[in-house]
């Protein structure tokens, strides 16, 4: 069993970070998937949904990949806090898993954040003259983007911790 | 002087990665900043430039921040390869600098990649009926986005290496 080095934070701090990530993902996912707007084009009513925006579909992918991963990390974290040790009999391979998984997960959330803000800001401007329903749709898009940004930032900090916790020799 | 652990790659591989990142950033920057399209709206000629797209302005920020950083890392890398040791008398603090700087830099490039693709794909679709000049503009946008994606991926690998090279106790 390899114990993390003295530079790594307490398991409680790590667990709180995971819980904050989980909440951010859940809020972002809820706002994103319930976002729709009814617009009128040539006297025909059309429903605009998040699926109609490529960037929002990628955002959904990032959130849906992130959710079970963070849940898994919360289970690991609760075990670590309550039992005082990592869940695995081979602590070293779990530290390596954390390291690579946090890295990949934080990059997926980072690109999701970029896509979400990139599309929202520019599409909002393009559609700004087409009525308030469009504006509301993209304002909710901004709100969802803000929460995936929080999820990304929390995961980035988790990734720093899991890098520092790596044993020296892999 | 702290030597990196045996799990870290040779200085030559690290340097090649930095050179590939540098080339990708340079190509992306060139395509991005020279991209423009002349469009006709109500018989008035308008020039569309990359600055008119928020996501492309953020992309420029990511590339402009990345360029001097990668140049610095190339200088460090050439010194390491030619002299057989790191440039600093305090190797440990340089390893820490690499670790944090690579992490931050790779996240900036990741969000830049997300923004670039997010805006390009959705704006291209919105403007697809407004003529071929728009299409060309966003096709060049896609090309620039592809090269910032390469720069991000190379930096992500560099970031894995600089994490593995961290001494155990900070």
């Amino acid at each position: 069993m390899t114990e993390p080095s003295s530079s790594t934070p307490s398991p409680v701090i790590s667990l709180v970070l995971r819980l904050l990530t989980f909440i951010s993902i859940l809020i972002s996912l809820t706002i994103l998937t319930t976002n729709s707007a009814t617009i009128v084009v040539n006297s025909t009513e059309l429903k605009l949904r998040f699926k109609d925006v490529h960037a929002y579909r990628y955002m959904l992918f990032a959130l849906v990949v992130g959710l079970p991963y963070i849940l898994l990390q919360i289970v690991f974290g609760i075990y670590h806090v309550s039992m005082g040790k990592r869940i695995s009999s081979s602590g070293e391979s779990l530290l390596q898993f954390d390291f690579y998984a946090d890295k990949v997960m934080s990059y997926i959330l980072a690109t999701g954040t970029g896509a979400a803000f990139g599309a929202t800001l520019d599409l909002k401007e393009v559609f700004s003259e087409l009525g308030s329903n469009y504006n509301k749709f993209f304002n909710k898009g901004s709100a969802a983007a803000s929460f995936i940004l929080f999820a990304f930032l929390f995961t980035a900090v988790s990734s720093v911790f899991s890098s520092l916790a790596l044993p020296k020799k892999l």
Side-chain angles (χ1 to χ4, degrees), chain A:
Chain A
M1 174 79 205
T2 308
E3 282 301 318
S5 77
S6 57
S7 59
T8 53
S10 81
V12 177
I13 294 176
S14 296
L15 179 59
V16 169
L17 263 176
R18 301 297 189 184
L19 289 170
L20 290 172
T21 312
F22 176 71
I23 293 166
S24 303
I25 288 182
L26 218 58
I27 296 175
S28 183
L29 202 55
T30 308
I31 299 174
L32 180 71
T33 53
T34 58
N35 195 9
S36 68
T38 307
I39 50 169
V40 180
V41 179
N42 300 328
S43 46
T44 310
E45 272 203 356
L46 291 176
K47 194 136 187 171
L48 182 67
R49 291 180 168 281
F50 82 94
K51 290 177 203 165
D52 300 319
V53 180
H54 289 106
Y56 290 168
R57 284 211 295 259
Y58 181 72
M59 206 179 149
L60 179 73
F61 158 79
L63 294 167
V64 164
V65 169
L67 204 60
Y69 174 66
I70 295 301
L71 276 174
L72 180 74
Q73 285 291 356
I74 287 173
V75 172
F76 286 168
I78 290 172
Y79 186 96
H80 196 174
V81 168
S82 56
M83 306 298 278
K85 61 184 177 109
R86 297 301 304 261
I87 208 164
S88 159
S89 59
S90 165
E92 194 155 324
S93 57
L94 199 57
L95 292 175
Q96 283 186 44
F97 167 77
D98 287 353
F99 168 66
Y100 286 106
D102 279 343
K103 255 202 156 40
V104 171
M105 202 59 244
S106 61
Y107 287 135
I108 290 175
L109 289 170
T111 48
T113 302
F117 277 108
T120 301
L121 290 178
D122 285 303
L123 289 176
K124 193 181 170 187
E125 200 163 286
V126 169
F127 288 114
S128 62
E129 288 165 17
L130 296 179
S132 64
N133 280 352
Y134 267 118
N135 267 327
K136 272 186 214 159
F137 180 80
F138 289 113
N139 285 343
K140 282 188 83 175
S142 288
S146 302
F147 280 97
I148 195 177
L149 170 66
F150 294 146
F152 151 55
L153 292 174
F154 293 136
T155 312
V157 177
S158 295
S159 176
V160 169
F161 290 165
S162 62
S163 302
L164 295 178
L166 266 187
K168 177 114 173 88
K169 283 189 186 172
L170 288 181

